[in-house]
Amino acid sequence: MTAGPTAPRPPRQQPAGQRRKRGALWPTVVIVLVLVAAFVGLTQLYTDVLWYDHLGYLSVFFTENATKIAIFVVSAVLVAALMFASLFLAYRSRPITAESIVDDNLRRYQEALEPVRKIVMIVVPVLFGLFAASTAMTQWDTVLLFLNQEPFGQEDPQFGLDLGFYVFTLPFLRFLIGFLVSAVLLAGVAGILMHYVYGGIRITERGLSTTRASRVHLGVLAALFLLLQAANFWLDRYSTLQSSSGEWTGALYTDVNAVIPTKAILAAAALIVAVLFVVASVIGRWRLPVIGTAMLLVVAVVAGGIYPWIVQRFQVLPTEQALESQYIERNIQLTRSAYGLDAAEVMPYDATTQTEQGALRQDTETTSNIRLLDPNVVSSAFSQLQQFRPYYQFPDTLNVDRYEIDGEVQDTVIATRELNPDQNQGWYNQHVVYTHGYGVVAAYGSRVEADGKPQFMQAGIPSRGVISDDYEPRIYFGENSPMYSIVGGGEGDEPLELDRPQTAGDEAGDAKTTFAGNGGPSIGNFFNRLAYGIKFQSSDLLLSDAVRPESQILYDRDPRERIEKVAPYLTVDGAPYPAIIDGQVQWIVDAYTTSDAYPYSTPSVLDEATQDAQTAQGAAATLPPERVNYIRNSVKATVNAYDGSVSLYAWDDQDPVLKAWQNVFPDTLKPYSEMSAELMAHVRYPQDMFKVQRELLNRYHVTDPNSFYQNDDVWSVPNDPTQDSEVALPPYYLSMRMPGEEEANFSLTTSFIPQQSETGNTRNVMYGYLSANSDAGTGEDGVKSEEYGTLRLLELPRSSVVPGPGQAQNLFNSDTDVSTELNLLRQGASEVINGNLLTLPAGGGMLYVQPVYVQSSGDAAYPTLRRVLVGFGEEVGFAPTLEEALDEVFGGDSGAQTSAGAGVNDAEAQSPDGEAPADGEAPAGGLDDALLEANRAIQESEQALADGDWTAYGEAQQRLQDAIERALEADGVVEPEAEGALAPEQPAEEPAE
């Protein structure tokens, strides 16, 4: 008889060996996965070690990670040990009771827990310990600063302690006590649960029943908790000096006279209650500690909250200005000290708005260096004239520096010709062929070509110019480098890297090269190739024959990123800039030490304080969203653009925070005395720190506490009038001479206007002007100028009628002659671009200068300078050259000396060969005549329209169109048909390598 279709099948018998084999499969898979994950993690660690070791900063990597590991281990062991001890003691002291009196629920808990109790008592503390330790290890810098602290040499005005106590010691004590409180709480909760499960704590109809062992156990833990709270209360006294809860930062009248004394009382009370808990746990009477705890809570509410509120409300507010005056003064003094504002030189400046002939005769050093090339505008001109290949690019915003040319210092707009990685397809091209940019391109800041193009002082491929004809031009490390590149090779290996476009006369192929420096870890052996293949998730690193025995791998190539990795304790400025120094292209990077614990200092949020028009456009990186109340430009760093080597120089060697970090990493920073004279000459005052300082100066230019309290003289940083959105005007680098100075210097400058209200009706007039001396060089190696970093603040009278930047821009835009000509320029399918609005103290007042660019339509179009706007008071000048515009403002003769080429020559701009027309020729259409004719035609059109004479209106419109075309030709926006377009500049000729 056979089984039916639904009959159950008998189970298949499998050999015992096969069952064992399958049973071992999953553990094997888990072990393999764990080993693979561990290997991947180890390769990441290994590549980091290779990277740091190559740069010579392996000690930073080991010190940081060893500290994190030590904190992690100690924290994990401490939390786990306390929890385990609490669980173990609770279990060991469990009562032996008859089963009849054990609650059924508890019996079920015990039965469920008992089989795994030993595992739970180990695993649970370990898990909580690991979790707590992962949080604690993030405080590695706090621990290291505490262990290596340096005194400030300045005492706080309340307790007379060195400021280093607040910056180094107090944060560590806060961290330590907070961690211990968490550990004790975890141990207490664990002990309570274990006592409850095993009967040490029982809830009965008569109330809570406890054993003597549980009382002693929990009483000791409660005493430890209260001891830590007593320490917290005591430290709260000092933390009032860092508090920002009041109107002003620091300990104010209520804090000093109510909060600080009550915190001391609370600390003593918590200490007494802790002793009561210890006594009660021994004698078994809990009345006193319970009463003491209740009293402590009452005192904490009344003395810690209600009493200070009463003092503030009924004693301080009625006479706030008088009572808070000395504490406001503390806030002013220590805030200015924390941000480096206390040494600012303040000078009254009664700026005039009246113009007269020869007013600028004494400002030759300023007017001869006025920068007409806007680094925010001319990037596309650099690209069209100097890019040469689509795989190159220039940044959207260029940099401003200065170079000495023929004995004169020239402001320079400068950039590196870097790779455009997005143009390259395929792994081989992206990582082997296209590995570096080529050359520095620089143009004079105060002059242009006759047709408005940048006048280059360093350009071409190969890179040549007055800065240097003999420097290493290859840019392997920059702000737009590939993620990683495989470079280098042995002697006799075929060059694989594209070096640069070939020169005229030898266009058969591009020049090739092989990296000859020591720029990255070796990737020649199989294990390193495997490690980096895993790191970058690339099998090509293992399989490609482009990876040779002598190959190196370059990565983490952005200058800011490299500095952040080798100096993790620094905050890095958002605007690195390149310079040709000692035959090498070096990226110069500013870096800061910061703290959020400086007493009485008003905090700033770095990313908010450093936002302006440039960061809004992505031209510069913002600082991280850190809340700080102390900042120093303590480090100047360089990154070699060829081999990526990093040098850190202790610039502010008196900064206690930097000294502490030097104790931590003693061999990583060099003294600034090791800087070469050429490097020192290119150091400048950092933009981000300047932005933070000017944000504070909006209020802290006031040093009188009564005026500060009344808030009657608050300033604002003006918005950038050239932008559509409301973003702050960025600071500008300019070479100029401030009033009262003996000579010009390279300076970082900004303006101040009255605080702007939400209604927008506030006066937009000038109230202040700040400059920071950015000339550090003295011509000697390792010697910096004593004037470097000096802040000079010009304060204008509060009755000032000197236009602010926004009002100056409005004057430009509303001027009839200016608007007429600009409207004509806009009609020829062209765009008029207002350059940066520069503000300079000159002629006894404030001089505004703005370059005006015109850009035609088309993919290959780029802006060229066409006009210069000048404003002084209510007067406006608008001309092809700076000299002419100044003369228009100052009665026909400003007395100013301007740079040769400070503007355009309309006649030369129209000649194909760049020369002026021959004698007797019409100067390219006669711009002034064409504009007059256009203006006349507009008036006749309006009159004909009013009269209803359509014939006359059509004739006037035709004359207007003809005049516009002649004006555009004369201004160089539209090229005459007979002349054609000018050819782009070509690379200099040189034999191929």
Side-chain angles (χ1 to χ4, degrees):
M1 181 176 174
T2 59
T6 59
R9 293 182 179 181
R12 291 182 61 186
Q13 296 296 323
Q14 297 179 347
Q18 186 174 349
R19 286 198 300 272
R20 286 195 298 270
K21 188 174 182 181
R22 288 195 172 184
L25 177 61
W26 284 111
T28 303
V29 170
V30 171
I31 292 172
V32 170
L33 290 176
V34 170
L35 290 176
V36 169
F39 180 75
V40 171
L42 287 174
T43 57
Q44 300 298 314
L45 177 63
Y46 176 68
T47 55
D48 283 343
V49 170
L50 290 178
W51 190 89
Y52 279 95
D53 185 51
H54 168 77
L55 277 178
Y57 290 88
L58 190 58
S59 62
V60 174
F61 179 79
F62 278 139
T63 300
E64 177 184 351
N65 286 282
T67 304
K68 289 181 177 179
I69 292 171
I71 295 173
F72 184 89
V73 171
V74 171
S75 303
V77 169
L78 181 61
V79 171
L82 281 175
M83 287 190 69
F84 176 80
S86 185
L87 291 170
F88 178 77
L89 291 173
Y91 177 76
R92 193 181 69 173
S93 60
R94 69 192 185 282
I96 306 300
T97 58
E99 291 189 5
S100 59
I101 65 172
V102 177
D103 185 87
D104 289 340
N105 289 329
L106 289 181
R107 186 180 299 110
R108 285 195 294 269
Y109 293 155
Q110 292 175 7
E111 291 173 352
L113 178 61
E114 195 59 33
V116 293
R117 176 181 53 78
K118 292 183 179 180
I119 297 176
V120 169
M121 289 178 63
I122 295 175
V123 172
V124 171
V126 168
L127 289 177
F128 276 96
L130 294 177
F131 178 77
S134 63
T135 302
M137 66 185 292
T138 62
Q139 298 295 317
W140 67 274
D141 50 350
T142 301
V143 175
L144 286 177
L145 283 176
F146 169 73
L147 297 175
N148 296 274
Q149 60 182 281
E150 290 280 335
F152 273 69
Q154 180 183 355
E155 296 179 351
D156 79 86
Q158 180 62 37
F159 296 103
L161 299 175
D162 187 90
L163 299 186
F165 169 80
Y166 298 92
V167 175
F168 301 123
T169 304
L170 188 56
F172 172 76
L173 295 178
R174 282 295 197 189
F175 156 68
L176 180 62
I177 292 174
F179 179 79
L180 291 176
V181 166
S182 300
V184 170
L185 284 175
L186 288 172
V189 171
I192 290 172
L193 291 175
M194 186 63 81
H195 279 299
Y196 176 74
V197 170
Y198 283 95
I201 298 175
R202 289 185 294 126
I203 301 175
T204 65
E205 294 180 355
R206 299 178 60 183
L208 188 66
S209 174
T210 61
T211 63
R212 184 175 185 278
S214 65
R215 290 196 300 271
V216 172
H217 181 187
L218 298 180
V220 170
L221 287 177
L224 286 175
F225 177 79
L226 287 167
L227 285 174
L228 292 171
Q229 289 305 315
N232 257 333
F233 286 133
W234 189 257
L235 293 180
D236 283 344
R237 300 164 62 251
Y238 304 109
S239 295
T240 57
L241 274 64
Q242 303 164 328
S243 172
S244 296
S245 59
E247 191 72 23
W248 306 275
T249 299
L252 305 179
Y253 181 88
T254 300
D255 297 309
V256 171
N257 294 279
V259 175
I260 291 176
T262 55
K263 291 295 182 181
I265 294 172
L266 286 170
L271 188 61
I272 293 171
V273 176
V275 174
L276 292 178
F277 265 99
V278 174
V279 173
S281 66
V282 175
I283 66 176
R285 297 180 181 178
W286 293 93
R287 184 176 181 181
L288 284 179
V290 170
I291 294 174
T293 302
M295 291 300 297
L296 180 62
L297 293 174
V298 171
V299 172
V301 172
V302 175
I306 297 177
Y307 174 60
W309 180 83
I310 292 173
V311 172
Q312 179 70 24
R313 177 63 183 84
F314 297 102
Q315 185 174 354
V316 175
L317 287 182
T319 56
E320 186 176 46
Q321 181 172 345
L323 293 180
E324 301 286 23
S325 179
Q326 64 172 315
Y327 307 107
I328 294 173
E329 186 173 9
R330 292 178 180 181
N331 172 255
I332 294 172
Q333 291 176 352
L334 288 172
T335 297
R336 288 171 61 88
S337 173
Y339 290 94
L341 302 175
D342 51 342
E345 299 178 3
V346 182
M347 174 182 175
Y349 188 60
D350 190 6
T352 181
T353 58
Q354 302 300 313
T355 62
E356 58 182 31
Q357 290 188 346
L360 301 180
R361 193 162 284 116
Q362 303 301 318
D363 296 294
T364 297
E365 290 181 287
T366 296
T367 58
S368 62
N369 283 298
I370 293 177
R371 179 170 48 77
L372 300 182
L373 212 60
D374 184 353
N376 304 301
V377 172
V378 298
S379 174
S380 56
F382 272 50
S383 295
Q384 290 297 321
L385 300 173
Q386 289 294 319
Q387 181 172 311
F388 300 135
R389 293 291 191 274
Y391 50 77
Y392 287 138
Q393 66 174 338
F394 289 98
D396 292 335
T397 295
L398 311 183
N399 294 285
V400 177
D401 200 355
R402 69 284 195 203
Y403 286 85
E404 185 174 335
I405 309 298
D406 297 329
E408 294 186 6
V409 176
Q410 301 280 349
D411 282 10
T412 307
V413 176
I414 189 170
T416 54
R417 187 188 291 108
E418 293 196 54
L419 275 181
N420 183 358
D422 296 336
Q423 289 289 326
N424 306 318
Q425 301 298 321
W427 182 89
Y428 188 82
N429 279 337
Q430 289 179 343
H431 302 293
V432 177
V433 176
Y434 296 96
T435 59
H436 61 276
Y438 193 93
V440 167
V441 177
Y444 291 94
S446 60
R447 66 179 75 166
V448 294
E449 299 288 356
D451 58 357
K453 293 187 297 188
Q455 186 176 136
F456 294 107
M457 62 168 64
Q458 189 79 28
I461 294 179
S463 183
R464 297 286 185 267
V466 295
I467 295 179
S468 176
D469 284 337
D470 184 20
Y471 73 101
E472 175 52 66
R474 296 166 184 85
I475 311 297
Y476 283 91
F477 294 83
E479 296 179 291
N480 289 291
S481 299
M483 178 184 293
Y484 67 91
S485 294
I486 309 301
V487 301
E491 185 177 350
D493 285 343
E494 177 188 359
L496 302 178
E497 304 171 52
L498 185 144
D499 188 25
R500 57 177 173 80
Q502 202 62 291
T503 56
D506 186 10
E507 288 86 1
D510 293 327
K512 297 296 184 73
T513 189
T514 298
F515 179 73
N518 185 21
S522 170
I523 199 174
N525 64 71
F526 176 80
F527 186 78
N528 285 10
R529 293 173 69 171
L530 177 61
Y532 280 106
I534 294 173
K535 179 179 180 67
F536 293 111
Q537 301 178 15
S538 171
S539 60
D540 295 283
L541 282 169
L542 283 172
L543 303 176
S544 176
D545 57 4
V547 183
R548 300 178 291 199
E550 302 297 328
S551 292
Q552 305 170 38
I553 184 167
L554 312 181
Y555 62 99
D556 289 343
R557 299 159 73 175
D558 184 277
R560 293 183 73 246
E561 185 178 351
R562 291 176 83 79
I563 302 302
E564 288 170 346
K565 288 189 68 173
V566 302
Y569 52 91
L570 296 175
T571 300
V572 180
D573 190 89
Y577 59 100
I580 299 176
I581 299 168
D582 302 320
Q584 299 284 324
V585 179
Q586 299 276 2
W587 291 96
I588 303 176
V589 188
D590 286 287
Y592 313 107
T593 47
T594 61
S595 175
D596 61 354
Y598 200 88
Y600 274 106
S601 178
T602 298
S604 295
V605 181
L606 291 181
D607 63 334
E608 296 177 3
T610 55
Q611 289 179 357
D612 60 15
Q614 291 185 353
T615 58
Q617 297 171 353
T622 57
L623 293 185
E626 295 179 13
R627 183 181 174 90
V628 306
N629 64 3
Y630 172 90
I631 186 170
R632 289 290 185 270
N633 178 211
S634 52
V635 172
K636 301 287 187 182
T638 62
V639 176
N640 190 295
Y642 182 71
D643 62 18
S645 57
V646 175
S647 295
L648 304 176
Y649 297 96
W651 186 252
D652 186 353
D653 53 8
Q654 300 304 307
D655 173 29
V657 179
L658 182 64
K659 288 182 178 180
W661 284 119
Q662 285 181 293
N663 294 337
V664 177
F665 305 111
D667 301 322
T668 59
L669 284 95
K670 305 175 183 178
Y672 72 80
S673 58
E674 294 186 17
M675 298 173 71
S676 69
E678 195 167 350
L679 172 57
M680 194 81 75
H682 289 281
V683 166
R684 67 187 192 187
Y685 200 83
Q687 290 188 41
D688 284 336
M689 181 168 171
F690 189 75
K691 294 176 190 177
V692 173
Q693 289 176 318
R694 72 174 183 176
E695 190 69 24
L696 267 295
L697 273 176
N698 283 329
R699 293 191 66 193
Y700 286 90
H701 66 278
V702 176
T703 56
D704 177 67
N706 292 324
S707 176
F708 194 90
Y709 172 83
Q710 293 167 7
N711 215 31
D712 58 1
D713 190 20
V714 181
W715 295 350
S716 291
V717 175
N719 290 329
D720 190 340
T722 67
Q723 302 296 317
D724 294 333
S725 56
E726 293 185 357
V727 291
L729 186 73
Y732 293 125
Y733 288 103
L734 300 168
S735 286
M736 65 173 193
R737 183 173 63 85
M738 286 280 285
E741 289 185 329
E742 296 181 358
E743 58 184 16
N745 58 72
F746 190 65
S747 301
L748 187 57
T749 64
T750 193
S751 305
F752 296 99
I753 60 175
Q755 185 179 37
Q756 301 298 287
S757 64
E758 294 181 0
T759 61
N761 296 322
T762 311
R763 298 168 66 225
N764 194 297
V765 295
M766 188 76 76
Y767 265 17
Y769 185 83
L770 179 68
S771 76
N773 188 310
S774 293
D775 276 334
T778 60
E780 299 181 45
D781 292 341
V783 179
K784 64 179 177 180
S785 170
E786 294 181 357
E787 291 294 310
Y788 170 84
T790 300
L791 297 176
R792 293 182 171 88
L793 177 63
L794 301 181
E795 284 202 33
L796 281 69
R798 299 306 178 262
S799 58
S800 169
V801 293
V802 176
Q807 189 175 339
Q809 187 71 58
N810 288 335
L811 289 172
F812 289 161
N813 297 340
S814 61
D815 186 272
T816 304
D817 295 335
V818 173
S819 60
T820 299
E821 185 169 348
L822 290 180
N823 287 332
L824 292 174
L825 295 177
R826 291 188 181 101
Q827 292 188 35
S830 299
E831 178 185 5
V832 174
I833 302 172
N834 290 326
N836 44 208
L837 183 61
L838 305 180
T839 309
L840 306 101
M846 302 305 296
L847 179 70
Y848 289 97
V849 178
Q850 184 175 55
V852 178
Y853 297 84
V854 173
Q855 178 172 318
S856 61
S857 59
D859 294 338
Y862 59 88
T864 56
L865 182 71
R866 277 293 176 263
R867 289 292 181 268
V868 180
L869 275 166
V870 171
F872 191 96
E874 298 290 324
E875 299 296 324
V876 174
F878 189 61
T881 68
L882 175 62
E883 183 178 11
E884 292 172 311
L886 290 172
D887 287 343
E888 287 183 10
V889 171
F890 291 93
D893 179 17
S894 67
Q897 179 181 332
T898 61
S899 174
V904 297
N905 184 312
D906 283 332
E908 291 187 18
Q910 302 313 307
S911 177
D913 57 4
E915 297 179 358
D919 292 342
E921 265 185 82
L927 176 61
D928 292 338
D929 291 341
L931 291 175
L932 289 173
E933 176 62 26
N935 190 40
R936 190 180 300 113
I938 292 173
Q939 295 175 359
E940 291 177 359
S941 296
E942 292 174 349
Q943 184 61 46
L945 191 62
D947 296 339
D949 189 345
W950 299 108
T951 301
Y953 178 78
E955 294 174 351
Q957 285 293 300
Q958 184 60 47
R959 290 198 303 275
L960 174 60
Q961 183 63 31
D962 294 340
I964 290 173
E965 291 177 358
R966 294 201 308 274
L968 292 173
E969 289 185 3
D971 201 43
V973 177
V974 175
E975 301 290 352
E977 293 182 4
E979 295 179 349
L982 293 174
E985 188 171 316
Q986 297 297 321
E989 293 189 11
E990 182 179 279
E993 294 180 356

